[in-house]
Amino acid sequence: MRPRNLYLSDIKKTAILISLMGMVCYFIVSCKHEGPAGAEVPSTVQDSVLSIIDEVAVGDQPRTVLKSQLLRAFRLHGLIQNDSVKKLVLDSVARNSLRYRSDELARMSAEHLQDIAVAGSDTLGIAKAHWYLGLYYLRKDQIDSAANKFYYAERFYRLSGDFINAGRSVLNLAILQKNQKDYIGSEQSTVRALEFLEGVEGEQRRIASAYNNLGIIAKDTEKYDLAIEYHNQALEYRQEIGNPALEASSFNNLGIVYTNMGQYEKAIETFNEGLDNDSLYYQRPITYAKLLDNKAYAELLGGKEQGYPEAFMIPFRLRDSISDKSGKVQSYLRLSEYYLMIDSVSVSHTYAKDALALAREIGYQRGEQESLQLLAKNSAPEIALNYNNRFIAINDSLQKAERSFQDRFARLRFQTDVLEDERNRVIQTNKQLQLVLLSLIAFALLGYIFIQRRANRKELHYQADQQKANEEIYSLMLSQKVKLEEGKQIEKQRISEELHDGILSKLFGARLSLDSLNAKVDDKSVGIRQSYIQEIKNIESEIRSISHELNASAFNSEVMYVDAIEKLLRDQCTIHNIDFELNSDHMIEWEKMSNDKKVHLYRIIQEALQNIMKHAKADEISVQFAQLVNGVRLTIEDDGVGMNTSKVKRGIGLKNIKSRVKQIEGNLRIHSEEGKGTQITVDFLA
């Protein structure tokens, strides 16, 4: 069965916790420089380098030109100020340098990319740099360094959330581990690669490679049934993508397993399935030669006697024609083994020595080992001992190198696991701290809400009490005003009676007396008397008019409320030596207005007066009540220094005015200019 994605969800959760650096805005360098070859660099260096990268990506120029362009882009990248663009350039240079076999340029670009990514905490950039360096070291046959880079590439790709490239990286590591016979580590890495890649569209080839790697591990550890299962799974994926050359490789691997199991007929049948592809000879001659050689060997072990050594010479000549030196070593070994089987020791010895020389030339240690084993078998005892000792020395050296490789990676995995455990512990601790902090915040918020609600309730009670008190105050004011007016009315009536019954009567008598004196007929006396009589008439008329006015009913709510406002203005303005003017539209029906609104209007005027006295430095104040179509307008103006309305909005006095305007459901407007005074307008429904 195919391995399941056992750990993918945990990996995703971990990746979510890693935050990546955001892309910064492009910064264009607009000066000219001299290029490395002396040519003038375009003024916009960034655009020039990006243009080179685009040309290389198309790849329609000769390889030498493309390599030169990549080198030029690398030399110019240091002039780019934007780190994001610089990383983009280095990424492209490293990738394409590997593509066009400019290995050293790829290494330098990857190292520069790694430095910038580390400085900027760019996890994805670090992962790419490790990937490119892993491919570089793999080409240089520096297995330890390559494996180390692929190991870290997988870690950083995983942390950045790029699980596909994480799977590719760990698959490369798995193959290297298998080649170093770290079978346990390779198997673990391969399973992890499958967890990342299985089910991903377009990754069938790598998934097949992963199963093929598991098959080889199972074969080398003599778990043949499991090896067959894995190789068949690899074959299914390769048939799915329709790649006959890779299918033939899977048939070859299956045939080798059957050969090791001693099932020679099944092995020969499997090799023939691989050879059924007519184009394999031209597409993959190396695989074609392997199939021919392995088939001939299976037939030899199965008892076939005819057609030898020609059956081994055909793949040998093909390998020689394509310079497949490791394949030639294998052909030499098969020929040596064949001649040893037919007791032609000298010929067997010759082929074994040829295999040993070629294996040493190309550094093919496995071929060297097998050559020494055959030479020990087909040589004289005293010489065979020397070959055996050399075989043991090489074998011990290889085993020591393999153990060293395994130990280094075991330590690396251990150190990384320790760091992972520590990191997970820190993350868990942070989660717990966050939970505690959130709990404290929640409790604090609940406490604040509780306290605030209590304060709000108290404020509502206070406002209700204040409103009730205001109404009582206003009622007392009106009551006092009524009593005052009643006293005034009584006094007016008394004065009226006095005027009418006393003074007026006396004046009337005087007029009669003067009329009687009017009998004198001299012109002077007549003129004087007539003037006095007319003056007395005038006084009489005036007193009568005053008497009527005083006797009229002046007791009404309009006069009482407006008088209260006038008294407030007079008291305040007299203290501060300020002139005032009060106008009230006679159309306003004060008796129909609620006492609550009257109290709020009174307090608004009072608050405005206090602000004027404190800050305005005014000489004159005007208060006006005007009747509107749907309400009443109160206007309070002064000729003071004015104010900055954006700052004064935070004042306590204005807050009180706003609060009272809101309670009478009115609309407040404030207009002020520095040096031109202030106007406060309140519109409300009466």
Side-chain angles (χ1 to χ4, degrees), residues 517-531:
L517 292 175
N518 201 29
K520 293 181 179 181
V521 295
D522 57 287
D523 293 337
K524 184 177 181 181
S525 296
V526 171
I528 292 172
R529 283 194 298 270
Q530 189 64 36
S531 64

Side-chain angles (χ1 to χ4, degrees), residues 503-504 506-512 514-515 518 529-545:
I503 297 173
L504 190 60
K506 291 177 182 180
L507 286 175
F508 181 71
R511 181 174 64 79
L512 291 177
L514 287 173
D515 282 341
N518 201 29
R529 283 194 298 270
Q530 189 64 36
S531 64
Y532 278 119
I533 292 170
Q534 185 60 42
E535 182 67 23
I536 291 171
K537 286 181 180 179
N538 291 339
I539 294 171
E540 178 185 347
S541 177
E542 185 177 347
I543 292 172
R544 185 179 289 108
S545 176

